[in-house]
């Protein structure tokens, strides 16, 4: 009986290993994304292992006559604590400079964050996306800053009479500085033929 239990336990663990291994492979994320017509998957899409407290960048070529849609995804371990900036390399114009999420209590709307879902006019949650239709062929530089992983605690606040007035988030100092965490960050790019030319 004990031997049978060990065999079942071993089978259960071996069944879970491929799932765990797949979760660690950032490139696999892109294979699960499917573009819907008329959009096409763009091979410039990138998903890579990133670390908190680091900055990353890459250049994305944009061709006149195509419309591009970009979406950003991050592992939950980063808690949406990122900043994404996109600069047009022809004009040096900053097109997007957005945080991954808004401060607690603020409701995200379209164009206010790069990772936090928002409610559209049909009361459906939408993951942020950004459309570009360049007037001429160009390249954009995508700069991603993964913020330091900092722990916080909630502390109560009181008025002069000792009555509780609310809570405030306070940073917990960590010995040796902020914890370094590892996760995936994905830039998903799709495109389609366009007759509109401008950054939207």
């Amino acid at each position: 009986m004990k031997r049978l239990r060990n065999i079942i336990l071993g089978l259960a663990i071996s069944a879970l290993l491929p799932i765990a291994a797949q979760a660690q492979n950032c490139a696999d994320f892109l294979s699960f994304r499917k573009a819907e017509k008329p959009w096409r998957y763009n091979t410039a899409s990138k998903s890579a292992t990133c670390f908190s407290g680091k900055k990353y960048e890459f250049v994305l070529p944009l061709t006149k006559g195509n419309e591009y849609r970009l979406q950003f995804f991050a592992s939950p371990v980063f808690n949406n604590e990122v900043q994404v900036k996109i600069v047009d390399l022809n004009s040096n114009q900053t097109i997007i400079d957005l945080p991954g999420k808004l401060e607690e209590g603020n409701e995200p709307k379209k164009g206010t964050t790069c990772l936090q879902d928002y409610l559209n006019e049909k009361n459906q949650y939408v993951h942020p996306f950004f459309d570009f239709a360049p007037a001429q062929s160009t390249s954009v530089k995508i700069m991603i800053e993964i913020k330091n992983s900092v722990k916080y605690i909630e502390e109560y606040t009181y008025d002069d009479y000792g009555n509780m007035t609310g809570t405030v988030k306070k940073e917990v100092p960590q010995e040796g500085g902020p914890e370094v965490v590892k996760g995936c960050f994905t830039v998903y790019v799709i495109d389609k033929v366009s007759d509109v030319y401008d950054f939207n």
Side-chain angles (χ1 to χ4, degrees), residues 87-158:
V87 175
D88 176 15
L89 292 180
N90 277 4
S91 66
N92 225 20
Q93 170 193 1
T94 298
I95 305 162
I96 288 175
D97 193 356
L98 293 174
K101 67 177 183 180
L102 298 178
E103 290 294 320
E104 223 171 287
N106 293 325
E107 187 181 334
K109 293 185 169 59
K110 183 177 181 179
T112 58
T113 77
C114 64
L115 290 175
Q116 199 172 15
D117 293 353
Y118 61 90
L119 276 172
N120 66 9
E121 60 279 351
K122 295 178 183 173
N123 228 21
Q124 301 166 318
Y125 277 100
V126 177
H127 191 77
F129 62 88
F130 305 94
D131 290 347
F132 307 107
Q136 60 185 6
S137 294
T138 186
S139 292
V140 293
K141 183 187 282 187
I142 300 171
M143 294 170 269
I144 301 144
E145 179 185 358
I146 312 286
K147 303 286 178 75
N148 278 319
S149 178
V150 179
K151 297 203 181 336
Y152 294 93
I153 57 167
E154 295 271 334
E155 282 193 356
Y156 295 110
T157 55
Y158 300 91

Side-chain angles (χ1 to χ4, degrees), residues 13-73:
I13 291 171
S14 63
L16 290 174
L17 283 176
I19 295 168
Q22 186 174 355
Q24 297 299 315
N25 187 353
C26 296
D28 281 350
F29 179 84
L30 292 171
S31 64
F32 296 116
R33 306 288 308 168
K34 299 293 178 217
E36 293 182 22
K37 287 188 175 179
W39 294 98
R40 308 168 295 207
Y41 174 76
N42 187 302
T43 56
S45 299
K46 195 173 205 66
S47 186
T49 301
C50 296
F51 297 88
S52 60
K54 299 284 184 190
K55 295 180 181 180
Y56 302 89
E57 60 182 51
F58 78 97
V59 174
L60 172 67
L62 304 179
T63 306
K64 177 182 176 178
N66 283 340
E67 184 175 343
Y68 297 85
R69 176 167 289 177
L70 273 65
Q71 287 183 293
F72 304 99
F73 301 90

